[in-house]
Amino acid sequence: QVQLVESGGGSVQAGGSLTLSCAASGYTYDSACMGWFRQAPGKEREGVAAIVRGTVTTYYADSVKGRFTISQDNANNTLLLQMNSLKSEDTAMYYCATVVKSWRPTDNCARLMRIPADYDYRGQGTQVTVSS
């Protein structure tokens, strides 16, 4: 059973930085895509960033390109999201998630980014609040 546990959320002023972490356990899927999606009150879920597990192949939403960086520490099974130049519109609950449906990792990442509700596993979420 895959388990994902997020940490690192909090409150920050616009222009500041935060790093989110996701500790993963129970992984047996070589084709997994791991990533983050977010949901703000009254808004649709948005795929933020994704990475093919065990590689450096990454995907970003246009709204965060150049500001957010996703990475993974394979030794510790940890997923990271470095968020810089934060804006008030980044305020949301951030979820670590993984998609393992397809044997193609790129298909899994496409699904996570485009249909963030269609994850296979997700964490409990961590709140990010950016004040202007």
Side-chain angles (χ1 to χ4, degrees), residues 5-126:
V5 179
E6 303 99 332
S7 61
S11 297
V12 65
Q13 289 195 327
S17 299
L18 282 174
T19 300
L20 305 184
S21 297
C22 175
S25 61
Y27 256 103
T28 58
Y29 306 99
D30 292 333
S31 63
C33 181
M34 297 187 70
W36 299 86
F37 69 86
R38 65 187 180 186
Q39 187 159 26
K43 294 188 177 179
E44 296 282 330
R45 286 181 185 177
E46 178 186 22
V48 174
I51 186 167
V52 175
R53 189 164 181 262
T55 77
V56 294
T57 302
T58 56
Y59 304 81
Y60 293 96
D62 288 343
S63 58
V64 307
K65 274 181 187 174
R67 301 188 298 120
F68 291 12
T69 303
I70 189 170
S71 62
Q72 55 190 340
D73 178 348
N74 293 324
N76 295 314
N77 260 342
T78 301
L79 183 70
L80 301 172
L81 184 68
Q82 174 67 43
M83 304 185 296
N84 297 327
S85 302
L86 282 161
K87 304 175 181 179
S88 57
E89 51 262 45
D90 295 318
T91 295
M93 184 71 80
Y94 284 70
Y95 296 90
C96 174
T98 187
V99 176
V100 300
K101 287 181 174 57
S102 172
W103 62 271
R104 288 198 186 97
T106 51
D107 287 353
N108 288 326
C109 281
R111 186 179 296 271
L112 194 154
M113 292 298 294
R114 295 173 191 166
I115 317 172
D118 196 19
Y119 56 83
D120 291 295
Y121 303 94
R122 72 158 172 88
Q124 79 285 357
T126 186

